[in-house]
Amino acid sequence: MHEGKDVSQAKELLEVEMKKLQKDPLQYAEGCCGVSELLNRWGSASAAYSTSMMECAVEYADESIRVFEQHGGGLRKKADMEAALFWKALNAATLGGNGGSERGEEEEG
C-alpha cells in the first residue's frame, strides 16, 4: 500500500492513522501495541534495523501501557496490557542488546 515511501513519509502516514484511533482510547492503545509489535518484527527481519526504529517501538508500547492504565479494568484489557508490556520489554532488550541508544544514556546521566 505504501511501497516506496521513505522513513519520514512512513512516520507521517502512521501518525495520521493513529490520530484516527484516538477517538476510542482502547482502540488507540491496541493500535500502539500493534505498531510496537510490527516495528519489532520488521526490525528483526530487516537489514534496515536502526536504534531509532526500536526507540519508536518502545515509545509506542509505553503509550499503549499508559492508555491501558488510564482506562483499566476488564480481563481483555489486562491481556492487552500484558501484550504491551511484553513488546516494551522485548523492544528495550533488543535495543540494549544492539548497543542501546544515546537517548537512554542521556536519561541516565
Side-chain angles (χ1 to χ4, degrees):
M1 180 175 175
H2 299 298
E3 294 87 2
K5 303 289 184 195
D6 68 23
V7 173
S8 62
Q9 290 172 315
K11 283 182 180 180
E12 288 174 21
L13 289 168
L14 180 58
E15 287 175 17
V16 167
E17 295 304 314
M18 293 304 293
K19 282 183 183 177
K20 291 177 186 177
L21 293 177
Q22 286 180 334
K23 295 172 188 168
D24 180 340
L26 295 179
Q27 274 192 331
Y28 175 68
E30 289 171 359
C32 287
C33 187
V35 169
S36 181
E37 177 181 357
L38 179 65
L39 288 172
N40 181 277
R41 292 178 186 268
W42 178 41
S44 66
S46 171
Y49 170 89
S50 69
T51 55
S52 64
M53 180 191 307
M54 296 316 295
E55 286 175 351
C56 186
V58 170
E59 289 171 7
Y60 273 104
D62 268 342
E63 180 69 359
S64 179
I65 292 164
R66 184 189 66 74
V67 174
F68 280 130
E69 284 176 337
Q70 283 182 339
H71 299 277
L75 201 53
R76 181 167 175 254
K77 290 180 215 166
K78 182 180 177 193
D80 289 336
M81 176 94 155
E82 289 171 355
L85 287 165
F86 170 81
W87 288 110
K88 178 182 178 180
L90 187 60
N91 290 325
T94 302
L95 183 61
N98 286 293
S101 70
E102 290 179 18
R103 181 174 166 208
E105 292 168 7
E106 289 172 6
E107 289 175 2
E108 289 175 13

